[in-house]
Amino acid sequence: MTDRTITPATATVPFAIRFILTVFEPLDALNRAWMCACTTPSSYLTIMTRDALPFTKSETFMYTTVGRSAIYFGFIEAVVLRVFGDVRLWRYMCAGILINDAIYCHAIAQAVGGWAVWLDVASWTRDDHMVFWSTWPLIIIRVRLLWVSD
């Protein structure tokens, strides 16, 4: 077995990226989980679908599931990335989260009627902008992290 040198994320990942991934985004995940599972799942549905779909209590379990996923990703970023500072692990975890991001982006397009509707930026609502600007910069940060040298 070969010795593997562990390169600390603190040595190669800029502070701003570490802060966003280990503090900002986990707090955002807690907020999403709280909104979906505990307080106002109807607000989450309104934001995601431009208020095009009615909320029914029988769907609440689905929003709890969405909230559960947010908690999981928040835990990975707030705890796992901090405890295990190996930049290789950070890259693997971010690659997995990027797969989830791709599915989430597709779901965003589905929620408003498909990619043709979503790509019509002129028709975006305030909520569409909020979803975009809270999603894509983080995706760019994770993609950037994949190319951090170790």
Side-chain angles (χ1 to χ4, degrees):
M1 186 180 285
T2 63
D3 284 336
R4 188 173 83 92
T5 303
I6 293 176
T7 303
T10 55
T12 57
V13 179
F15 173 78
I17 292 175
R18 291 193 323 267
F19 179 82
I20 289 168
L21 292 177
T22 62
V23 176
F24 174 76
E25 196 168 20
L27 290 173
D28 179 57
L30 279 175
N31 180 55
R32 277 182 285 133
W34 184 256
M35 179 190 276
C36 288
C38 301
T39 58
T40 55
S42 60
S43 295
Y44 184 79
L45 180 64
T46 297
I47 290 167
M48 297 302 289
T49 66
R50 298 178 182 171
D51 203 17
L53 301 173
F55 174 77
T56 62
K57 282 278 195 195
S58 64
E59 299 168 339
T60 302
F61 74 96
M62 291 301 297
Y63 300 98
T64 302
T65 300
V66 171
R68 175 202 55 86
S69 296
I71 290 292
Y72 176 72
F73 288 109
F75 178 82
I76 287 172
E77 291 175 323
V79 177
V80 174
L81 293 183
R82 285 179 192 212
V83 171
F84 301 97
D86 182 359
V87 75
R88 289 183 192 133
L89 177 67
W90 279 51
R91 285 200 302 253
Y92 286 123
M93 298 303 266
C94 283
I97 295 171
L98 279 168
I99 293 167
N100 183 72
D101 287 338
I103 296 166
Y104 178 73
C105 289
H106 184 64
I108 291 168
Q110 286 178 320
V112 297
W115 283 104
V117 175
W118 173 251
L119 293 173
D120 181 10
V121 178
S123 69
W124 279 13
T125 65
R126 181 191 73 218
D127 290 334
D128 293 334
H129 282 280
M130 191 250 332
V131 169
F132 176 84
W133 290 108
S134 66
T135 303
W136 279 95
L138 298 169
I139 290 171
I140 292 167
I141 286 170
R142 282 190 278 279
V143 168
R144 160 69 175 84
L145 183 68
L146 294 178
W147 281 274
V148 167
S149 62
D150 48 335

